[in-house]
Amino acid sequence: MKKIINVLTSASLLFSGLSYAAYEFKVNDEETIKFGGFVKIDGRHVDGNVAYRDFWIGSGSVLAEDAAQTKFFANESRFNTTYTNNGVTAFIEMDFYGGGGTETISNSSHPRLRHAMIKYEDFVIGQTWTTFMNTSALAETVDFAGAMVGEAFVRNTQVRYSKNGWSVALENPESYGGDPANDSMPDMIAKYQHNADWGNVSVAGLVRQLTTTMGETESAFGVSVAGKVKVADKDDFRFQFHQGNLGRYVGVAAAQDLVGEEVEESTSFMVAYRHFWTESTRSSVFYGNITTTESDVDRSHWGINVFKNYTPKFSVGAELGNFEMAEADADSTYMQVSAKFAF
């Protein structure tokens, strides 16, 4: 009963007056609960012959003629909870890109599961970022995740073991463009990440067995090099390079795992430089590109932005950029502004 009273008391404090403040609550000597996330409000204008999206992925709908559209939305807002008990940590996070919204009446949107994982000692079990990723190599952007065309960007359910910079994992298989109903072997990933005062660099390898629509099995391999390097006092340079039969692991729908009965091969990269103008104002410039062999995709995304923190937790950002599908002679320019309050 005492524990329940503590939880209820702490919950009432959380949602009264300090509902946007960082919050950690110690249940007892073994148990801790932490709440976090942010509220993010965006305004976005897109003009061109690639149809409007709230954020660019690696693909888009090509229009017969140019169109211009403006939207305001809050779907990127998210909430997470971390629970720790006797050395075991559980983490769950959701945002509101789950669909179901209607702009005619209420703008309601369904919550979407992002992460749900358990960590014990050197093991992680559950849904989270693929081991193939180096999350520190993602650019800071107003658009949801920036140049996804050039990034490794997947969340998988997995079992991962990490020790001394090394990580190995078995992850959920999915033959994108093939027959996933006959995927019987998990994806296998190994990564080494070196961390130092100057930043970090990682090298990762991926081995998969894919199933074609005709029931054939095909082997797929890919590699990644990514990192973040500190420049001067606060600036940094971020980079990613990926090559091989990576399919859904890079480019976010820019490349399938299989095209017909053939395994797709892609080459993608992303570079970004972040500069601090003052302690509270910073900018990033970024560029990403992906090309494929079987489907002849050539897509790129560039952007430049500025962020200003008015308090340590409240920032406003603006970004100008362009998304291009060169193989379809289509591109759209976008301007996006945001206000974000982290808690």
Side-chain angles (χ1 to χ4, degrees):
M1 176 63 73
K2 183 178 180 181
K3 182 186 294 186
I4 295 174
I5 292 172
N6 286 341
V7 171
L8 293 175
T9 301
S10 298
S12 66
L13 290 173
L14 174 63
F15 295 109
S16 63
L18 297 176
S19 58
Y20 296 110
Y23 181 77
E24 182 174 332
F25 149 55
K26 192 174 181 64
V27 181
N28 53 45
D29 290 341
E30 291 79 32
E31 297 175 279
T32 301
I33 299 176
K34 185 185 298 184
F35 302 97
F38 58 76
V39 173
K40 185 170 183 274
I41 315 301
D42 289 282
R44 182 174 172 95
H45 178 80
V46 173
D47 189 348
N49 62 339
V50 178
Y52 175 94
R53 289 187 57 91
D54 284 351
F55 57 92
W56 299 121
I57 57 173
S59 183
S61 299
V62 178
L63 304 173
E65 58 184 33
D66 287 4
Q69 187 170 3
T70 299
K71 278 193 175 185
F72 300 94
F73 51 95
N75 305 58
E76 193 179 335
S77 301
R78 66 187 60 161
F79 181 79
N80 58 60
T81 302
T82 306
Y83 176 73
T84 303
N85 183 304
N86 287 310
V88 181
T89 299
F91 177 81
I92 189 165
E93 181 177 67
M94 66 179 67
D95 64 13
F96 298 90
Y97 275 116
T102 167
E103 297 171 33
T104 306
I105 301 173
S106 65
N107 276 285
S108 302
S109 297
H110 297 162
R112 176 186 69 161
L113 182 67
R114 288 172 52 84
H115 301 271
M117 65 178 189
I118 299 168
K119 184 179 186 303
Y120 177 66
E121 295 184 349
D122 299 321
F123 287 92
V124 168
I125 304 171
Q127 177 175 302
T128 189
W129 296 120
T130 174
T131 310
F132 195 70
M133 285 179 66
N134 181 338
T135 55
S136 72
L138 298 173
E140 182 181 27
T141 59
V142 178
D143 181 278
F144 186 61
M148 287 188 179
V149 291
E151 298 172 350
F153 196 96
V154 175
R155 287 186 293 269
N156 280 337
T157 303
Q158 62 193 268
V159 179
R160 181 194 304 171
Y161 176 79
S162 301
K163 190 79 170 180
N164 298 325
W166 288 95
S167 295
V168 292
L170 299 178
E171 303 197 3
N172 185 62
E174 179 76 11
S175 293
Y176 178 32
D179 180 15
N182 282 301
D183 288 341
S184 60
M185 295 290 293
D187 295 352
M188 294 174 284
I189 299 172
K191 180 175 71 175
Y192 178 73
Q193 181 164 319
H194 176 71
N195 297 296
D197 292 341
W198 49 263
N200 72 77
V201 63
S202 64
V203 178
L206 169 67
V207 179
R208 296 184 292 163
Q209 179 179 282
L210 304 173
T211 310
T212 73
T213 54
M214 299 297 290
E216 300 294 325
T217 58
E218 298 286 348
S219 297
F221 309 91
V223 295
S224 169
V225 179
K228 175 182 176 181
V229 178
K230 297 178 182 178
V231 181
D233 291 334
K234 300 189 69 174
D235 291 8
D236 60 69
F237 173 69
R238 308 178 192 203
F239 63 93
Q240 302 187 34
F241 175 79
H242 319 286
Q243 207 282 324
N245 310 127
L246 295 170
R248 66 185 178 88
Y249 276 83
V250 299
V252 189
Q256 297 186 162
D257 296 319
L258 294 152
V259 179
E261 294 297 292
E262 300 298 324
V263 178
E264 181 67 281
E265 183 173 343
S266 64
T267 300
S268 58
F269 69 92
M270 192 282 299
V271 290
Y273 188 85
R274 183 172 67 164
H275 173 68
F276 278 78
W277 303 100
T278 67
E279 286 295 316
S280 61
T281 305
R282 62 201 180 275
S283 294
S284 288
V285 56
F286 61 91
Y287 176 82
N289 175 264
I290 185 169
T291 56
T292 64
T293 57
E294 297 298 327
S295 54
D296 293 323
V297 157
D298 183 356
R299 296 171 186 173
S300 59
H301 178 184
W302 64 262
I304 183 168
N305 58 47
V306 60
F307 290 92
K308 181 173 176 59
N309 274 75
Y310 290 92
T311 74
K313 297 292 186 180
F314 176 61
S315 64
V316 173
E319 184 168 294
L320 174 68
N322 178 271
F323 175 76
E324 181 183 18
M325 303 172 65
E327 80 282 0
D329 192 26
D331 77 296
S332 283
T333 298
Y334 71 99
M335 175 69 186
Q336 185 167 338
V337 294
S338 71
K340 178 179 176 181
F341 194 105
F343 55 89

